[in-house]
Amino acid sequence: MPPSVFVTPSHQFPFGSILSIGRRMELLEYARNTGCYIIEDDYDSEFRYAGMPVHALRELDAERVIYIGTFSKNLFPALRIGYMVLPQDLVAPIEGIKRLMDMHTPTLDQAILARFIADQHLQRHVTRMKRVYSRRRKLLIRSLSETFGNRILVSGDAAGLHLIAEFSGHIFDEERVQALAEGGVRVYPAEKYAIVKGRFEDRLIMGFGDVAEPQIPEGVRRIAEVLRELGEQ
Amino acid sequence: MPPSVFVTPSHQFPFGSILSIGRRMELLEYARNTGCYIIEDDYDSEFRYAGMPVHALRELDAERVIYIGTFSKNLFPALRIGYMVLPQDLVAPIEGIKRLMDMHTPTLDQAILARFIADQHLQRHVTRMKRVYSRRRKLLIRSLSETFGNRILVSGDAAGLHLIAEFSGHIFDEERVQALAEGGVRVYPAEKYAIVKGRFEDRLIMGFGDVAEPQIPEGVRRIAEVLRELGEQ
């Protein structure tokens, strides 16, 4: 049995699936039976647009779950601040490991962030950004639907800052990625992130976190145009 | 032969020795003959109080030396910013490694630091702190000399923020470190940092970087007092 299991239950990368409550309970049961820890990487759970709210694994079992959060998604990646919520037993050993890895922490940045949180700015920022991302997400889904109709299937879009678009009948290999880049649009094939290769060649990971609204329909238009030029649409 | 040799030629920790120009040339010759790289960690070379100025290994051979610098000593450790100056051949591979280790960098902190340097603040700060540290260093050496006379030998004090005090006839084992702590002074035995044990039990590492001036003679006085109580002086 493994000493730990690493999961992203609130939003798996890249496919965006959300671990169901039933599977969560099974996973925790497994952890309790085998004595292993679950590492729960909850990297973008603030941005949830659809479906039932889910409980973090950590809320269901505080003693078997190591919860990892980050400010990379809800603030900005260059802040380089994340955090762990640990079972009581692990606090001392992990403090020791942290000290071995890096004796100091960026206390100035952390103090500024603490003030930012205490003064409610983080909460307001997340609320505002959730509206912004929600608008971009809807616009991307609408653009895809208007351009490709039912030849396209969107999934993994209930949370986070990206979705998966499945283009039935197309594949995104290096040649096509290159052609799209020349057409002015950079795409991220889901296949690149798959452990088992060959099953997801028709899917793109489409991020909408840092794309301005006017760029969204324009990008979708260009994808369609390049695919047409390749004689594939 | 090793793929790399890690050295701190401007100020070895803990003993504070400085690598002579002759040994520097030998080390570079070895690197050229065997094709290995020298990693030069130049962590506190800004603070040099005595002796001839020395050239960084990097200045003597830019193609075989990986130079590492930090702002932990000349500014503050919680800034968490260091840098590497690389041989041309290593720039691309080390950029790749950096990306694997940590995709983002703290660009906000770096931008502020860049402005701080460009506006001459760093240079002025180092000049000012060199005067401050120089005063603390002199005060520590004078206090040791006034209190212990020639029973103490100071070394490794030409650079950096600490020196080595050798107390002839004393040893600093756990019991004595504990007694000193109870007497109100925390000491760092050099022995703790030695690879070969049993040779440096009579030496303390004495930092003067973050000690206010009035604390210096007071700390030395307390060491003397505790040693006297232990019947060792």
Side-chain angles (χ1 to χ4, degrees):
Chain A
M1 76 204 168
S4 65
V5 175
F6 183 96
V7 285
T8 54
S10 70
H11 194 225
Q12 189 260 352
F13 185 86
F15 293 111
S17 57
I18 294 169
L19 201 64
S20 70
I21 183 70
R23 294 289 280 164
R24 279 169 203 246
M25 300 310 286
E26 277 178 53
L27 186 58
L28 288 171
E29 175 122 0
Y30 173 82
R32 279 188 292 260
N33 289 342
T34 61
C36 81
Y37 287 102
I38 307 295
I39 303 171
E40 175 174 33
D41 183 0
D42 205 23
Y43 68 102
D44 66 1
S45 62
E46 290 89 348
F47 304 114
R48 188 168 168 82
Y49 315 102
M52 295 266 287
V54 282
H55 289 283
L57 289 167
R58 160 81 198 178
E59 293 175 74
L60 303 172
D61 190 334
E63 288 315 306
R64 296 251 60 87
V65 178
I66 297 170
Y67 180 95
I68 303 178
T70 179
F71 295 96
S72 283
K73 298 285 178 182
N74 60 13
L75 284 173
F76 55 102
L79 187 57
R80 313 314 301 128
I81 298 184
Y83 56 93
M84 280 182 166
V85 185
L86 293 169
Q88 200 57 48
D89 291 353
L90 293 183
V91 173
I94 289 189
E95 274 180 352
I97 291 168
K98 168 72 176 72
R99 201 180 150 81
L100 276 180
M101 287 174 68
D102 187 359
M103 230 161 77
H104 294 278
T105 44
T107 43
L108 188 59
D109 293 357
Q110 289 183 16
I112 295 166
L113 176 60
R115 175 77 77 86
F116 189 81
I117 295 170
D119 292 352
Q120 314 280 322
H121 294 299
L122 179 64
Q123 197 186 313
R124 270 184 241 126
H125 176 74
V126 167
T127 304
R128 189 164 52 238
M129 292 316 292
K130 200 170 155 175
R131 272 201 306 274
V132 170
Y133 295 141
S134 178
R135 233 175 17 236
R136 290 182 191 165
R137 166 183 169 273
K138 273 191 203 147
L139 184 54
L140 176 56
I141 294 173
R142 197 173 62 231
S143 299
L144 286 168
S145 163
E146 286 174 0
T147 308
F148 294 97
N150 58 13
R151 284 164 302 160
I152 214 164
L153 190 69
V154 166
S155 63
D157 62 317
L161 303 174
H162 73 270
L163 54 77
I164 296 287
E166 185 178 339
F167 293 73
S168 89
H170 293 286
I171 66 160
F172 297 98
D173 57 11
E174 255 180 61
E175 186 194 337
R176 284 161 188 94
V177 168
Q178 182 61 31
L180 285 158
E182 281 160 19
V185 55
R186 194 161 59 161
V187 299
Y188 299 90
E191 182 71 14
K192 209 179 144 185
Y193 299 92
I195 295 171
V196 180
K197 297 292 180 192
R199 287 169 49 190
F200 307 105
E201 290 178 301
D202 57 353
R203 286 169 223 193
L204 291 183
I205 299 170
M206 305 191 85
F208 48 84
D210 70 345
V211 188
E213 289 190 27
Q215 292 183 295
I216 292 174
E218 174 62 18
V220 172
R221 196 191 58 73
R222 290 199 190 180
I223 293 174
E225 193 178 294
V226 172
L227 292 180
R228 211 161 26 238
E229 279 167 15
L230 289 170
E232 302 195 349
Q233 194 192 351
Chain B
M1 75 205 170
S4 65
V5 175
F6 183 95
V7 285
T8 55
S10 70
H11 194 226
Q12 189 261 350
F13 185 87
F15 294 111
S17 57
I18 294 169
L19 201 65
S20 70
I21 183 71
R23 294 288 282 163
R24 279 168 202 246
M25 301 310 286
E26 277 176 53
L27 186 58
L28 290 171
E29 175 121 1
Y30 172 83
R32 279 187 292 260
N33 288 342
T34 61
C36 80
Y37 287 102
I38 308 295
I39 303 171
E40 175 175 32
D41 182 2
D42 205 23
Y43 67 102
D44 66 1
S45 63
E46 290 89 348
F47 304 115
R48 187 168 169 83
Y49 316 103
M52 297 265 288
V54 282
H55 290 282
L57 289 167
R58 160 80 199 179
E59 294 175 73
L60 304 171
D61 192 333
E63 288 314 307
R64 296 250 61 86
V65 178
I66 297 170
Y67 180 95
I68 303 178
T70 178
F71 295 96
S72 285
K73 299 286 178 180
N74 60 13
L75 286 172
F76 56 100
L79 188 57
R80 314 314 300 129
I81 298 184
Y83 56 93
M84 281 184 165
V85 186
L86 293 169
Q88 200 58 47
D89 291 353
L90 293 184
V91 173
I94 289 189
E95 275 179 352
I97 291 167
K98 169 72 176 73
R99 202 181 150 82
L100 275 181
M101 288 173 68
D102 187 359
M103 229 162 76
H104 294 278
T105 45
T107 42
L108 187 59
D109 293 357
Q110 290 184 15
I112 295 166
L113 177 60
R115 175 77 76 89
F116 189 81
I117 295 170
D119 291 352
Q120 314 281 319
H121 295 298
L122 178 64
Q123 194 185 316
R124 271 184 239 129
H125 176 75
V126 167
T127 305
R128 189 163 53 235
M129 292 316 291
K130 200 169 158 177
R131 273 200 306 274
V132 170
Y133 294 141
S134 178
R135 237 177 11 238
R136 291 182 190 164
R137 166 183 170 271
K138 273 191 201 144
L139 183 54
L140 175 56
I141 294 173
R142 196 170 67 231
S143 299
L144 287 168
S145 164
E146 285 173 1
T147 307
F148 294 96
N150 57 14
R151 285 164 300 159
I152 215 164
L153 190 68
V154 166
S155 63
D157 63 317
L161 302 173
H162 73 271
L163 53 77
I164 295 287
E166 184 178 339
F167 293 73
S168 89
H170 294 286
I171 66 158
F172 297 99
D173 56 12
E174 254 179 62
E175 187 193 338
R176 285 161 188 95
V177 168
Q178 182 61 29
L180 285 158
E182 281 160 18
V185 53
R186 196 162 56 161
V187 298
Y188 298 89
E191 182 70 14
K192 208 180 143 184
Y193 300 92
I195 294 171
V196 181
K197 297 292 179 192
R199 287 168 53 189
F200 307 105
E201 290 179 301
D202 58 352
R203 286 169 224 193
L204 291 182
I205 300 170
M206 304 189 86
F208 49 83
D210 69 345
V211 188
E213 290 191 26
Q215 292 183 295
I216 292 174
E218 175 62 18
V220 172
R221 194 190 61 71
R222 291 198 189 181
I223 294 174
E225 194 178 292
V226 172
L227 292 181
R228 212 161 27 238
E229 281 167 13
L230 290 171
E232 301 196 348
Q233 195 192 352

PDB file of all heavy atoms in Angstrom, chain B residues 19 25 38 56 78 86 88 98 111 115 117 152 165 171 173 178 183 199 202 219-220:
ATOM      1  N   LEU B  19      39.943  31.253   0.652  1.00  0.00           N
ATOM      2  CA  LEU B  19      40.784  30.443  -0.236  1.00  0.00           C
ATOM      3  C   LEU B  19      41.843  31.334  -0.897  1.00  0.00           C
ATOM      4  O   LEU B  19      41.499  32.350  -1.507  1.00  0.00           O
ATOM      5  CB  LEU B  19      39.898  29.770  -1.289  1.00  0.00           C
ATOM      6  CG  LEU B  19      40.468  28.529  -1.983  1.00  0.00           C
ATOM      7  CD1 LEU B  19      40.658  27.384  -0.987  1.00  0.00           C
ATOM      8  CD2 LEU B  19      39.566  28.096  -3.117  1.00  0.00           C
ATOM      9  N   MET B  25      43.788  29.024  -8.158  1.00  0.00           N
ATOM     10  CA  MET B  25      44.316  28.663  -9.474  1.00  0.00           C
ATOM     11  C   MET B  25      44.377  27.142  -9.625  1.00  0.00           C
ATOM     12  O   MET B  25      44.030  26.605 -10.678  1.00  0.00           O
ATOM     13  CB  MET B  25      45.702  29.283  -9.689  1.00  0.00           C
ATOM     14  CG  MET B  25      45.760  30.803  -9.607  1.00  0.00           C
ATOM     15  SD  MET B  25      44.519  31.673 -10.615  1.00  0.00           S
ATOM     16  CE  MET B  25      45.237  31.425 -12.250  1.00  0.00           C
ATOM     17  N   ILE B  38      32.960  24.203 -11.109  1.00  0.00           N
ATOM     18  CA  ILE B  38      33.101  24.702  -9.739  1.00  0.00           C
ATOM     19  C   ILE B  38      31.843  25.505  -9.419  1.00  0.00           C
ATOM     20  O   ILE B  38      31.490  26.417 -10.161  1.00  0.00           O
ATOM     21  CB  ILE B  38      34.327  25.647  -9.612  1.00  0.00           C
ATOM     22  CG1 ILE B  38      35.604  25.008 -10.153  1.00  0.00           C
ATOM     23  CG2 ILE B  38      34.499  26.122  -8.165  1.00  0.00           C
ATOM     24  CD1 ILE B  38      36.071  23.803  -9.390  1.00  0.00           C
ATOM     25  N   ALA B  56      36.765  36.741  -7.325  1.00  0.00           N
ATOM     26  CA  ALA B  56      35.870  35.582  -7.357  1.00  0.00           C
ATOM     27  C   ALA B  56      36.441  34.582  -8.367  1.00  0.00           C
ATOM     28  O   ALA B  56      37.064  34.973  -9.357  1.00  0.00           O
ATOM     29  CB  ALA B  56      34.469  36.013  -7.761  1.00  0.00           C
ATOM     30  N   ALA B  78      14.499  36.771   4.566  1.00  0.00           N
ATOM     31  CA  ALA B  78      13.099  36.557   4.212  1.00  0.00           C
ATOM     32  C   ALA B  78      12.768  37.089   2.816  1.00  0.00           C
ATOM     33  O   ALA B  78      11.684  36.839   2.300  1.00  0.00           O
ATOM     34  CB  ALA B  78      12.179  37.213   5.242  1.00  0.00           C
ATOM     35  N   LEU B  86      25.919  31.969 -14.866  1.00  0.00           N
ATOM     36  CA  LEU B  86      26.220  30.658 -15.440  1.00  0.00           C
ATOM     37  C   LEU B  86      27.153  30.739 -16.634  1.00  0.00           C
ATOM     38  O   LEU B  86      27.109  31.705 -17.401  1.00  0.00           O
ATOM     39  CB  LEU B  86      24.923  30.004 -15.914  1.00  0.00           C
ATOM     40  CG  LEU B  86      23.922  29.616 -14.829  1.00  0.00           C
ATOM     41  CD1 LEU B  86      22.596  29.248 -15.462  1.00  0.00           C
ATOM     42  CD2 LEU B  86      24.471  28.455 -14.015  1.00  0.00           C
ATOM     43  N   GLN B  88      27.936  30.046 -20.360  1.00  0.00           N
ATOM     44  CA  GLN B  88      26.990  30.124 -21.477  1.00  0.00           C
ATOM     45  C   GLN B  88      26.297  28.782 -21.771  1.00  0.00           C
ATOM     46  O   GLN B  88      25.085  28.732 -21.935  1.00  0.00           O
ATOM     47  CB  GLN B  88      27.747  30.634 -22.716  1.00  0.00           C
ATOM     48  CG  GLN B  88      26.848  31.218 -23.788  1.00  0.00           C
ATOM     49  CD  GLN B  88      25.995  32.381 -23.279  1.00  0.00           C
ATOM     50  OE1 GLN B  88      26.492  33.294 -22.613  1.00  0.00           O
ATOM     51  NE2 GLN B  88      24.696  32.327 -23.542  1.00  0.00           N
ATOM     52  N   LYS B  98      15.107  24.841 -13.604  1.00  0.00           N
ATOM     53  CA  LYS B  98      14.359  25.819 -12.815  1.00  0.00           C
ATOM     54  C   LYS B  98      12.861  25.699 -13.099  1.00  0.00           C
ATOM     55  O   LYS B  98      12.040  25.722 -12.177  1.00  0.00           O
ATOM     56  CB  LYS B  98      14.874  27.229 -13.143  1.00  0.00           C
ATOM     57  CG  LYS B  98      14.029  28.383 -12.614  1.00  0.00           C
ATOM     58  CD  LYS B  98      14.139  28.549 -11.103  1.00  0.00           C
ATOM     59  CE  LYS B  98      13.370  29.763 -10.602  1.00  0.00           C
ATOM     60  NZ  LYS B  98      11.907  29.591 -10.614  1.00  0.00           N
ATOM     61  N   ALA B 111      11.019  42.728  -9.151  1.00  0.00           N
ATOM     62  CA  ALA B 111      10.905  44.052  -9.769  1.00  0.00           C
ATOM     63  C   ALA B 111      11.241  45.145  -8.752  1.00  0.00           C
ATOM     64  O   ALA B 111      11.930  46.120  -9.075  1.00  0.00           O
ATOM     65  CB  ALA B 111       9.492  44.251 -10.325  1.00  0.00           C
ATOM     66  N   ARG B 115      14.526  47.742  -8.917  1.00  0.00           N
ATOM     67  CA  ARG B 115      14.429  49.189  -8.775  1.00  0.00           C
ATOM     68  C   ARG B 115      15.341  49.677  -7.625  1.00  0.00           C
ATOM     69  O   ARG B 115      16.041  50.683  -7.756  1.00  0.00           O
ATOM     70  CB  ARG B 115      12.964  49.574  -8.497  1.00  0.00           C
ATOM     71  CG  ARG B 115      12.722  51.042  -8.214  1.00  0.00           C
ATOM     72  CD  ARG B 115      12.727  51.907  -9.463  1.00  0.00           C
ATOM     73  NE  ARG B 115      11.484  51.730 -10.170  1.00  0.00           N
ATOM     74  CZ  ARG B 115      10.369  52.448  -9.955  1.00  0.00           C
ATOM     75  NH1 ARG B 115      10.389  53.438  -9.081  1.00  0.00           N
ATOM     76  NH2 ARG B 115       9.269  52.215 -10.622  1.00  0.00           N
ATOM     77  N   ILE B 117      18.040  48.329  -6.569  1.00  0.00           N
ATOM     78  CA  ILE B 117      19.443  48.283  -7.014  1.00  0.00           C
ATOM     79  C   ILE B 117      19.719  49.432  -7.983  1.00  0.00           C
ATOM     80  O   ILE B 117      20.711  50.162  -7.839  1.00  0.00           O
ATOM     81  CB  ILE B 117      19.761  46.926  -7.673  1.00  0.00           C
ATOM     82  CG1 ILE B 117      19.653  45.782  -6.652  1.00  0.00           C
ATOM     83  CG2 ILE B 117      21.174  46.942  -8.293  1.00  0.00           C
ATOM     84  CD1 ILE B 117      19.715  44.385  -7.258  1.00  0.00           C
ATOM     85  N   ILE B 152      42.208  33.339  24.770  1.00  0.00           N
ATOM     86  CA  ILE B 152      41.259  33.185  23.650  1.00  0.00           C
ATOM     87  C   ILE B 152      41.955  33.554  22.342  1.00  0.00           C
ATOM     88  O   ILE B 152      42.808  34.443  22.307  1.00  0.00           O
ATOM     89  CB  ILE B 152      39.994  34.047  23.876  1.00  0.00           C
ATOM     90  CG1 ILE B 152      38.773  33.333  23.328  1.00  0.00           C
ATOM     91  CG2 ILE B 152      40.124  35.415  23.252  1.00  0.00           C
ATOM     92  CD1 ILE B 152      37.492  33.907  23.846  1.00  0.00           C
ATOM     93  N   ALA B 165      35.862  31.883  17.923  1.00  0.00           N
ATOM     94  CA  ALA B 165      36.635  32.147  19.145  1.00  0.00           C
ATOM     95  C   ALA B 165      37.061  30.800  19.733  1.00  0.00           C
ATOM     96  O   ALA B 165      36.207  29.959  20.019  1.00  0.00           O
ATOM     97  CB  ALA B 165      35.790  32.930  20.141  1.00  0.00           C
ATOM     98  N   ILE B 171      35.846  23.141  26.758  1.00  0.00           N
ATOM     99  CA  ILE B 171      35.100  22.501  25.678  1.00  0.00           C
ATOM    100  C   ILE B 171      33.632  22.901  25.807  1.00  0.00           C
ATOM    101  O   ILE B 171      33.134  23.171  26.905  1.00  0.00           O
ATOM    102  CB  ILE B 171      35.254  20.958  25.641  1.00  0.00           C
ATOM    103  CG1 ILE B 171      34.624  20.310  26.896  1.00  0.00           C
ATOM    104  CG2 ILE B 171      36.713  20.529  25.480  1.00  0.00           C
ATOM    105  CD1 ILE B 171      34.271  18.852  26.650  1.00  0.00           C
ATOM    106  N   ASP B 173      30.456  21.285  25.182  1.00  0.00           N
ATOM    107  CA  ASP B 173      29.576  20.148  24.911  1.00  0.00           C
ATOM    108  C   ASP B 173      28.148  20.542  25.287  1.00  0.00           C
ATOM    109  O   ASP B 173      27.881  21.684  25.686  1.00  0.00           O
ATOM    110  CB  ASP B 173      30.042  18.912  25.694  1.00  0.00           C
ATOM    111  CG  ASP B 173      30.138  19.195  27.185  1.00  0.00           C
ATOM    112  OD1 ASP B 173      29.639  20.258  27.637  1.00  0.00           O
ATOM    113  OD2 ASP B 173      30.724  18.370  27.908  1.00  0.00           O
ATOM    114  N   GLN B 178      24.037  24.124  27.532  1.00  0.00           N
ATOM    115  CA  GLN B 178      22.829  24.230  28.356  1.00  0.00           C
ATOM    116  C   GLN B 178      23.036  25.214  29.516  1.00  0.00           C
ATOM    117  O   GLN B 178      22.208  26.087  29.765  1.00  0.00           O
ATOM    118  CB  GLN B 178      22.474  22.820  28.863  1.00  0.00           C
ATOM    119  CG  GLN B 178      21.216  22.718  29.697  1.00  0.00           C
ATOM    120  CD  GLN B 178      19.972  23.156  28.927  1.00  0.00           C
ATOM    121  OE1 GLN B 178      19.932  23.020  27.701  1.00  0.00           O
ATOM    122  NE2 GLN B 178      18.996  23.727  29.624  1.00  0.00           N
ATOM    123  N   GLY B 183      22.324  30.712  31.703  1.00  0.00           N
ATOM    124  CA  GLY B 183      22.958  31.972  32.084  1.00  0.00           C
ATOM    125  C   GLY B 183      22.570  33.122  31.161  1.00  0.00           C
ATOM    126  O   GLY B 183      23.066  34.234  31.298  1.00  0.00           O
ATOM    127  N   ARG B 199      37.622  17.609  16.996  1.00  0.00           N
ATOM    128  CA  ARG B 199      38.789  18.487  16.838  1.00  0.00           C
ATOM    129  C   ARG B 199      38.496  19.944  17.173  1.00  0.00           C
ATOM    130  O   ARG B 199      39.418  20.749  17.307  1.00  0.00           O
ATOM    131  CB  ARG B 199      39.295  18.405  15.391  1.00  0.00           C
ATOM    132  CG  ARG B 199      40.009  17.089  15.100  1.00  0.00           C
ATOM    133  CD  ARG B 199      40.229  16.909  13.606  1.00  0.00           C
ATOM    134  NE  ARG B 199      40.901  18.079  13.018  1.00  0.00           N
ATOM    135  CZ  ARG B 199      41.053  18.248  11.689  1.00  0.00           C
ATOM    136  NH1 ARG B 199      40.576  17.350  10.837  1.00  0.00           N
ATOM    137  NH2 ARG B 199      41.673  19.306  11.224  1.00  0.00           N
ATOM    138  N   ASP B 202      36.641  23.197  21.388  1.00  0.00           N
ATOM    139  CA  ASP B 202      36.965  24.390  22.173  1.00  0.00           C
ATOM    140  C   ASP B 202      36.600  25.690  21.453  1.00  0.00           C
ATOM    141  O   ASP B 202      37.002  26.763  21.871  1.00  0.00           O
ATOM    142  CB  ASP B 202      38.458  24.379  22.532  1.00  0.00           C
ATOM    143  CG  ASP B 202      39.355  24.319  21.298  1.00  0.00           C
ATOM    144  OD1 ASP B 202      38.815  24.136  20.163  1.00  0.00           O
ATOM    145  OD2 ASP B 202      40.581  24.450  21.456  1.00  0.00           O
ATOM    146  N   GLY B 219      27.047  39.849  26.584  1.00  0.00           N
ATOM    147  CA  GLY B 219      27.068  38.421  26.258  1.00  0.00           C
ATOM    148  C   GLY B 219      28.405  37.786  26.618  1.00  0.00           C
ATOM    149  O   GLY B 219      28.453  36.684  27.190  1.00  0.00           O
ATOM    150  N   VAL B 220      29.479  38.478  26.302  1.00  0.00           N
ATOM    151  CA  VAL B 220      30.828  37.961  26.605  1.00  0.00           C
ATOM    152  C   VAL B 220      31.010  37.841  28.128  1.00  0.00           C
ATOM    153  O   VAL B 220      31.531  36.843  28.628  1.00  0.00           O
ATOM    154  CB  VAL B 220      31.906  38.872  25.977  1.00  0.00           C
ATOM    155  CG1 VAL B 220      33.304  38.470  26.453  1.00  0.00           C
ATOM    156  CG2 VAL B 220      31.832  38.817  24.446  1.00  0.00           C
TER     157      VAL B 220
END
